[in-house]
Amino acid sequence: MQPDIIALQETHLNPCDKLKIPNYTPYRTDRTTHRGGGTALLVKNSIDHHPTPIASTSFENTTVILDLPNNNNISITSIYRPPHGRINTQELDRLFSQTAKAIVVGDFNAKHTAWSVGNSNSNGSIIHDHIANNNLVLLAPLEPTHFPYHHPSSSTLDFGILKNISSGDATSINDLSSDHNPVAFEINVNASLASPAKKVNITNWTIFCETISNRVPGNPKMNNIADVDDCIRQFTCNITTAVNLATKSRVIAGPFRQLPTFIVDKIKLKNRFRKLYQQTFYPPYKRKAYKLQREIHEDIVNFDNNRWREMIQGINPEDNSLYEMNRKLSKKFIPTPPILDTDGMKYTPLGKANAFRHSLENSFQVNPEPYCNSHIKKVNRSISNYFHNIHNTSQPEIVSPQEVISLIKKLNPRKATGPDGVSNKALRMLTLNAVTHLTKIFNKCLALHHFPDSWKLAHVLMFPKPNQNHKLPGSYRPISLLSNIGKLFEKVLLKRLNDHCLKNSIIPAEQFGFRSGHSCTHQLLRVTNKIVDGFNAKMYTGGVFLDVRKAFDRMWHNGLIAKLIDFKFPDYLTIIIQKFLSNRKFQVRINQALSSVGNIHAGTPQGSALSPTLYNIFTADFPTNNKILNCLFADDSAILSQGSNIKFVIHSLQLQLYEIEKWCTLWRVAINTEKTKAILFRKGHSKKSLKFLTFFDETLEWNSQVKYLGLYLDSKLTFRQHAKYNSDKFWAKVHLIIPLIGRNSVLSLNNKVLLFKQILRPILSYSAQIWGITAKCHHKKIQILQNKILRIMTNSPWFVRNEVIHKDLNIESIEEFIKKLSRKFFLKIPNHSNHLISSQIEYTHSNGKHKYPYATAKWSLPLKPP
C-alpha cells in the first residue's frame, strides 16, 4: 500500500527529531509543554498542497489543504484529542470552515455506540451530536482500533469525519504492534491524487533519423516572414513527432525500498506476538516480541548498508555514475516555500508561478532612476531616424550547412529543453536533409531581417539565492529556458557580432568577462600587481568595487540599439537584434504549472547566447581615465587609483565616480550603493580618518576588505580572510559528499582521489596563482585541510605520516600544486592577445620588498616578451 496521505497521532516527537519518508513532505505539530502527544501529516510530493496551521486548545492538530484542479480544494486534518477534558466544538468547526470539502481523521478518544462497541463517553456524545447537527459524515471501521495493554476490552477511537464528501471506506489493519491499529481510509474526492507512474523514456535514434529523413524536405519554399514562421513551426513539429514515434516508455514499479522476505516474515511474527501479549498478558510473548524487534532493527541496518555498499562499488567514472552520485549528494532538492505576492501568500504551484511572474515583470523594466530626459529623447530620435532612413541594407553573411553542423556538434545533450520541446540530443541526431532545411531557415531569417516570435518565448525557472528569505520572490535568480533551435540561430548571429567587435576593437581591453582566453584570475592578476607595485613604491592604492543592480535584467533596449548604430554594426544585425529584444514573452514554471504570459520590456534573457556579448557592447564606452585603472569582468566592475598622497588618490577616485555617475544617468544603469565598497590598500597603520567618497548622493564608507571575483582582498593584501573563507567552503562541500569519501565508504580509493582532484582541490586552489603570495602560516592552514581529508579518505591510522599518504596517492602538496598551476598560468602570459595581460610580464621580477603573484611560480628569472 502506498497511501497518498499519512496521518499520525501521538508522535512523541521533539522539535529536534527528524520525521522523513521518501517521496513525502512532512508537516508536524509537536507538543512542547510536556511529554507525549503530537500530530503529523505526510503528503505525497506529487500532490499540490500547502499547510494551514489552526490553533486549538482542546485537541492537537496538523492541517494541510490539497490544491486540486478547478479550485477544488480539500482540507485534511490529523487530530489527536487527549483522554482528559472536553472537546470544544467551536474549535472543531474551524477545521471544517477552511474549505468547502474537509476530511478530519485521527484519535478522538471518543466512544459512542454509533461507531464503537460498549459504553459511550461524554466526548463521544458531543461529537455524535455535532456530526448530526452539521450534516457531516462519519467514517469509522467496523473492527475495533484500540486494544489497551492492561485491559481486555477493545473500542473504536480512531475514525474520520467528512464534510461534503459522501462516499468512503475505513478498514482497521491488524498489522502493527501498537495498542492502536492503523486505519486505512479510501475516500473518493472526485479528483486524481495518485502520482503518475515513474517512467523511463528510451529513444531509438535510428528510427528517429529515418522518420526525419522521410518527413523533412531539403529545400523548403519560403518567400516571406509568414512562410518562415510556418516552416519553423512545421520543422519543430516534425522533430517532436519523430522523437515520439521513436520513443518507448517503460514504467518503473515497486516501492522505494523492498525489504527481503525473511525480514518481512520477522515483522509479521513480531506483530503476532505483540497482539497475543495484548490479549493474554503472558510475559514470554512480550519477551519474544522485544527480541524480534531488536533482530529486525539489526537486519534492516545491515540490509541498508549492504545495498549502499553494492551501489557504491558499482560506481564508475567512465559512465558518469561517479559524478551523478556527487551531484545528487551535493545539490539537495529544496521545495519552494509559500511565496509572498502583492495580495498575500501563494501556496499552490500556479499561485507561486504567477507571483514570480508578477515580480519578474516588474523587474524586466528599465531602471526608473537614474535617467536623463533629454538624452532619452535624443536616443529615441536617432533610432527612429535610423530605421526610417534604411533602404539598402548590407548583405548578410550566408550561413553554410558546415557552420550549422559545427554549432550542432558543440551542443550539450544534457541541457534542458525549451518551450518547443526540441532537445539538443535530437538536434545532434538530425540527418543531412534536416540540417540543410535548418540552414535555409537561418539564411531566410537573415535575408528578411527576422527573429521569429516562437523563439522569443522563455520558460523561466527560479533558483533560490543563498542566505536570503526564500518567501520573497526577489530572493530567486531567474534562468530562461529558450528554444534550442532559436539558440542555434543566436549563435549564428553571435559569430557575426564577435567578428565585427574584433575587427573594430569595440570591446575595451579592460573588459575580461565572456571573452575567450580571459578569466577571473587574469583580472585579479592586474589588480594584485597594481596593489603590490604600490606597496613596493610606498604608494597608496585606492579602489572602488561597484555593484550594478540587475545588470542584465534591466538593460535599456533603446540604449543598446543606439550603441549598435554608433559602432556601425551591419544594418541587418542591428535590425535583427532590435527584433530579438522586442516583444519578448516569458512564463514561470513551478513543478508542472506554468504562469500566465508576462512581458519583457528591458534586459536580455539569462540563458541566451547573445546576452553576454550584448552586455559587453552596452558597457563598451564605460568611462576611462589616465589616472584610473579600470578592471571589468561583465558586471563586476572595479576602479583603482594610485599615488604617493592619500588626498590625490581619493580625489582621483571621486572624479572618476562623478564620470561614472554621469554615464549611468545617460544610459539608465542603476548602481547599488549599499553593496558598492571602497578600500584603501596600504602597509602600515594610520590614525587619520579618511575623507569619505560620495556616489549618487550616498556616502561610501571605507572597508577593511572586499570580495572581488570570488577572492577576498584586505587592505594589506594578506589574504587572511580568504584562507578562512576557503576553509569554510571546503568543509561545507566535504560534509555533502562524505558518504562517498568518508572512512567507512566502500568507494574505491582511485575514485575517492578522483573526487578530491575534481571537486575538493579546485575549491582550495581557486586563484592560487594570486593568493599564493600569502604568508606561510596561511599556506600551512590550507595544507592541513588537504592532510585531513586525505587521512579521512584513506582511513589512515595516527602513526602514518602525511608525506607517506601523499606519496602513495601521488598527490602533490599544496605548495607544489600552486607552483605547478602558476607556471602553467604565467607561461601563457607573454603571448596573450590582450596587451593588458601580456604587459603583466613587467611584474615578473623579484625586485622590491613585497612579492608579486609571479613569485608563486618560484622561477628565479623574470619572463621575457615574445
Side-chain angles (χ1 to χ4, degrees):
M1 178 189 297
Q2 289 189 338
D4 296 311
I5 300 170
I6 302 173
L8 304 177
Q9 298 84 38
E10 291 192 271
T11 56
H12 290 229
L13 293 174
N14 295 317
C16 59
D17 297 331
K18 291 184 178 180
L19 175 63
K20 186 176 181 181
I21 297 180
N23 301 322
Y24 286 85
T25 302
Y27 300 94
R28 298 161 40 177
T29 304
D30 299 332
R31 181 186 292 178
T32 57
T33 55
H34 55 281
R35 185 177 178 275
T39 57
L41 279 172
L42 295 103
V43 186
K44 265 191 177 179
N45 293 337
S46 59
I47 301 174
D48 295 334
H49 64 279
H50 66 270
T52 304
I54 299 176
S56 59
T57 57
S58 62
F59 54 82
E60 301 170 19
N61 78 91
T62 303
T63 303
V64 301
I65 293 180
L66 308 187
D67 305 307
L68 304 181
N70 301 320
N71 294 322
N72 186 22
N73 296 341
I74 299 177
S75 65
I76 309 289
T77 300
S78 172
I79 186 173
Y80 171 66
R81 200 201 67 76
H84 307 291
R86 296 171 68 88
I87 192 167
N88 188 327
T89 55
Q90 291 182 348
E91 292 181 350
L92 195 61
D93 281 335
R94 293 179 196 164
L95 303 180
F96 294 101
S97 63
Q98 302 296 313
T99 55
K101 295 182 179 181
I103 300 172
V104 178
V105 298
D107 180 2
F108 288 83
N109 273 310
K111 300 179 183 179
H112 194 274
T113 54
W115 61 78
S116 178
V117 296
N119 298 326
S120 302
N121 60 16
S122 59
N123 281 303
S125 300
I126 293 172
I127 292 176
H128 178 266
D129 294 343
H130 190 75
I131 292 173
N133 295 334
N134 291 276
N135 197 26
L136 302 177
V137 176
L138 173 71
L139 191 60
L142 298 176
E143 306 85 359
T145 64
H146 181 229
F147 301 87
Y149 286 130
H150 304 294
H151 198 278
S153 65
S154 59
S155 58
T156 302
L157 304 180
D158 308 272
F159 52 87
I161 303 175
L162 314 181
K163 173 189 174 184
N164 291 334
I165 300 175
S166 58
S167 61
D169 186 32
T171 306
S172 177
I173 304 174
N174 192 24
D175 274 353
L176 300 184
S177 56
S178 169
D179 59 339
H180 283 259
N181 275 354
V183 180
F185 293 96
E186 293 186 13
I187 302 172
N188 181 15
V189 296
N190 297 321
S192 176
L193 295 180
S195 61
K198 295 182 180 179
K199 295 181 180 180
V200 173
N201 294 327
I202 302 173
T203 303
N204 186 326
W205 293 108
T206 303
I207 296 176
F208 170 81
C209 292
E210 292 175 356
T211 307
I212 285 292
S213 181
N214 295 329
R215 280 177 171 266
V216 178
N219 188 19
K221 293 182 180 180
M222 295 174 286
N223 298 318
N224 51 46
I225 290 177
D227 291 344
V228 173
D229 289 340
D230 288 340
C231 193
I232 292 171
R233 195 178 302 110
Q234 188 61 41
F235 182 73
T236 303
C237 182
N238 285 335
I239 293 178
T240 54
T241 301
V243 170
N244 292 334
L245 291 176
T247 300
K248 292 183 179 180
S249 297
R250 187 177 66 187
V251 177
I252 301 176
F256 176 77
R257 180 182 67 174
Q258 190 167 7
L259 294 174
T261 306
F262 77 93
I263 296 180
V264 175
D265 292 341
K266 281 187 178 181
I267 293 174
K268 292 179 179 178
L269 183 61
K270 183 250 319 184
N271 290 339
R272 191 176 303 123
F273 279 125
R274 289 294 296 268
K275 284 297 179 184
L276 288 172
Y277 172 72
Q278 291 171 8
Q279 295 170 0
T280 63
F281 299 104
Y282 184 51
Y285 290 151
K286 183 177 181 180
R287 288 195 295 270
K288 289 180 180 179
Y290 282 157
K291 181 181 178 182
L292 284 171
Q293 179 67 41
R294 290 191 294 270
E295 291 179 5
I296 290 167
H297 181 266
E298 292 177 2
D299 290 342
I300 291 178
V301 170
N302 292 333
F303 169 72
D304 288 340
N305 289 337
N306 291 334
R307 192 172 64 149
W308 173 257
R309 187 178 295 109
E310 291 173 2
M311 182 174 61
I312 293 297
Q313 288 174 343
I315 286 178
N316 186 351
E318 295 181 359
D319 60 1
N320 286 324
S321 57
L322 179 64
Y323 304 106
E324 286 293 325
M325 178 59 69
N326 167 66
R327 185 181 62 82
K328 289 178 181 178
L329 292 174
S330 300
K331 296 183 179 180
K332 301 292 185 182
F333 171 73
I334 302 175
T336 305
I339 300 298
L340 180 63
D341 201 1
T342 54
D343 57 346
M345 301 296 291
K346 301 298 180 183
Y347 298 95
T348 67
L350 182 59
K352 295 175 187 177
N354 282 318
F356 282 124
R357 179 200 62 78
H358 183 261
S359 173
L360 289 178
E361 210 164 27
N362 291 332
S363 179
F364 296 147
Q365 305 279 347
V366 182
N367 286 308
E369 291 182 349
Y371 68 94
C372 175
N373 276 331
S374 60
H375 188 256
I376 293 172
K377 292 177 182 178
K378 179 182 176 182
V379 166
N380 293 340
R381 189 164 52 249
S382 67
I383 293 174
S384 178
N385 292 337
Y386 173 80
F387 286 107
H388 184 265
N389 295 326
I390 285 183
H391 298 294
N392 297 320
T393 59
S394 55
Q395 289 297 319
E397 180 185 346
I398 299 300
V399 184
S400 66
Q402 190 59 42
E403 181 182 352
V404 176
I405 290 173
S406 65
L407 291 174
I408 288 176
K409 285 182 178 179
K410 296 177 183 177
L411 293 177
N412 184 353
R414 294 178 177 271
K415 289 287 186 179
T417 60
D420 58 5
V422 177
S423 65
N424 280 343
K425 177 67 174 177
L427 291 176
R428 285 172 65 93
M429 299 303 296
L430 289 179
T431 55
L432 186 58
N433 66 309
V435 172
T436 304
H437 185 105
L438 188 59
T439 305
K440 291 184 180 295
I441 290 176
F442 289 167
N443 280 322
K444 205 64 180 177
C445 287
L446 290 175
L448 296 174
H449 309 156
H450 179 53
F451 197 95
D453 288 341
S454 59
W455 295 345
K456 293 193 285 188
L457 174 65
H459 282 177
V460 178
L461 304 182
M462 307 301 292
F463 292 90
K465 298 177 183 178
N467 305 321
Q468 295 197 24
N469 185 357
H470 293 158
K471 292 185 179 180
L472 302 178
S475 301
Y476 291 76
R477 181 175 290 106
I479 298 297
S480 300
L481 299 182
L482 302 165
S483 165
N484 286 325
I485 302 174
K487 287 166 74 173
L488 267 182
F489 185 57
E490 288 181 29
K491 291 176 181 177
V492 169
L493 298 175
L494 179 63
K495 177 182 179 298
R496 287 144 182 79
L497 280 175
N498 286 335
D499 289 347
H500 184 82
C501 289
L502 185 62
K503 181 180 178 181
N504 296 276
S505 302
I506 291 173
I507 308 299
E510 296 89 352
Q511 178 60 268
F512 285 16
F514 309 114
R515 299 181 67 184
S516 177
H518 296 66
S519 68
C520 295
T521 308
H522 286 113
Q523 193 64 278
L524 288 169
L525 177 66
R526 288 184 68 221
V527 173
T528 312
N529 279 337
K530 184 72 172 177
I531 297 169
V532 175
D533 194 48
F535 290 163
N536 287 325
K538 296 184 178 180
M539 291 194 292
Y540 303 98
T541 306
V544 177
F545 295 80
L546 306 173
D547 183 85
V548 183
R549 181 183 286 119
K550 297 186 177 180
F552 287 87
D553 294 344
R554 293 196 165 184
M555 188 195 299
W556 184 24
H557 286 173
N558 280 1
L560 174 61
I561 299 302
K563 294 189 179 186
L564 292 176
I565 296 170
D566 291 342
F567 291 135
K568 294 181 170 44
F569 277 84
D571 295 336
Y572 77 92
L573 275 179
T574 304
I575 297 171
I576 294 176
I577 295 301
Q578 191 270 338
K579 292 184 177 180
F580 165 79
L581 295 172
S582 63
N583 299 321
R584 296 196 71 91
K585 310 284 184 183
F586 74 95
Q587 291 177 285
V588 179
R589 192 173 80 191
I590 301 293
N591 298 340
Q592 301 302 317
L594 281 173
S595 71
S596 55
V597 177
N599 297 307
I600 299 176
H601 299 289
T604 56
Q606 295 194 31
S608 164
L610 289 173
S611 292
T613 299
L614 293 178
Y615 183 82
N616 283 350
I617 294 171
F618 185 72
T619 58
D621 58 347
F622 189 82
T624 58
N625 190 317
N626 292 333
K627 299 176 183 177
I628 296 293
L629 181 73
N630 283 349
C631 303
L632 311 177
F633 197 95
D635 59 332
D636 290 312
S637 307
I639 58 172
L640 300 178
S641 175
Q642 196 170 81
S644 58
N645 186 290
I646 293 180
K647 290 183 179 179
F648 170 79
V649 172
I650 295 177
H651 180 68
S652 300
L653 288 174
Q654 187 62 71
L655 290 178
Q656 183 66 0
L657 287 176
Y658 287 149
E659 293 300 317
I660 295 174
E661 191 173 321
K662 292 178 185 177
W663 181 85
C664 291
T665 303
L666 289 177
W667 300 107
R668 309 185 74 174
V669 177
I671 303 293
N672 190 341
T673 53
E674 294 180 358
K675 295 183 179 180
T676 296
K677 305 293 183 183
I679 185 172
L680 185 67
F681 298 97
R682 58 181 174 180
K683 291 293 184 177
H685 300 276
S686 175
K687 295 182 180 180
K688 293 182 180 179
S689 59
L690 300 175
K691 181 183 178 181
F692 290 128
L693 297 169
T694 59
F695 192 38
F696 283 106
D697 299 325
E698 297 284 342
T699 299
L700 300 182
E701 296 185 358
W702 295 96
N703 294 267
S704 60
Q705 64 184 27
V706 296
K707 186 180 180 183
Y708 181 59
L709 300 179
L711 187 70
Y712 277 94
L713 304 171
D714 57 273
S715 59
K716 292 179 174 52
L717 220 61
T718 63
F719 298 105
R720 183 185 296 110
Q721 177 62 28
H722 186 73
K724 182 180 182 304
Y725 169 75
N726 253 2
S727 176
D728 295 341
K729 189 175 180 181
F730 175 80
W731 285 118
K733 188 67 174 180
V734 168
H735 291 322
L736 290 175
I737 64 171
I738 199 67
L740 293 177
I741 63 172
R743 295 181 184 274
N744 298 323
S745 172
V746 295
L747 188 67
S748 69
L749 191 56
N750 287 338
N751 284 338
K752 288 183 179 181
V753 171
L754 187 61
L755 283 175
F756 169 75
K757 289 182 176 180
Q758 297 292 327
I759 295 168
L760 295 178
R761 190 164 65 179
I763 297 175
L764 299 176
S765 60
Y766 170 72
S767 290
Q769 304 93 321
I770 310 300
W771 64 257
I773 60 175
T774 188
K776 288 186 178 180
C777 61
H778 300 312
H779 275 265
K780 187 177 180 181
K781 291 177 183 177
I782 302 299
Q783 182 62 54
I784 289 173
L785 295 178
Q786 179 166 302
N787 294 345
K788 286 183 176 180
I789 195 61
L790 293 183
R791 299 189 78 88
I792 291 173
M793 287 164 47
T794 56
N795 195 19
S796 300
W798 62 270
F799 52 81
V800 178
R801 299 181 65 85
N802 292 323
E803 293 83 355
V804 175
I805 298 175
H806 279 72
K807 184 177 179 180
D808 290 347
L809 296 180
N810 195 24
I811 293 176
E812 310 99 323
S813 67
I814 285 295
E815 195 166 346
E816 285 295 316
F817 185 66
I818 292 176
K819 182 177 76 172
K820 179 180 174 182
L821 282 178
S822 296
R823 291 186 173 185
K824 183 178 180 181
F825 174 75
F826 282 104
L827 275 176
K828 298 178 181 178
I829 293 293
N831 298 309
H832 202 281
S833 58
N834 190 330
H835 69 278
L836 293 181
I837 296 178
S838 60
S839 65
Q840 298 305 305
I841 62 171
E842 298 173 8
Y843 304 101
T844 59
H845 55 78
S846 56
N847 302 334
K849 178 181 177 181
H850 304 283
K851 296 179 182 179
Y852 294 97
Y854 177 72
T856 57
K858 297 188 176 180
W859 277 321
S860 57
L861 297 176
L863 293 175
K864 296 180 180 181

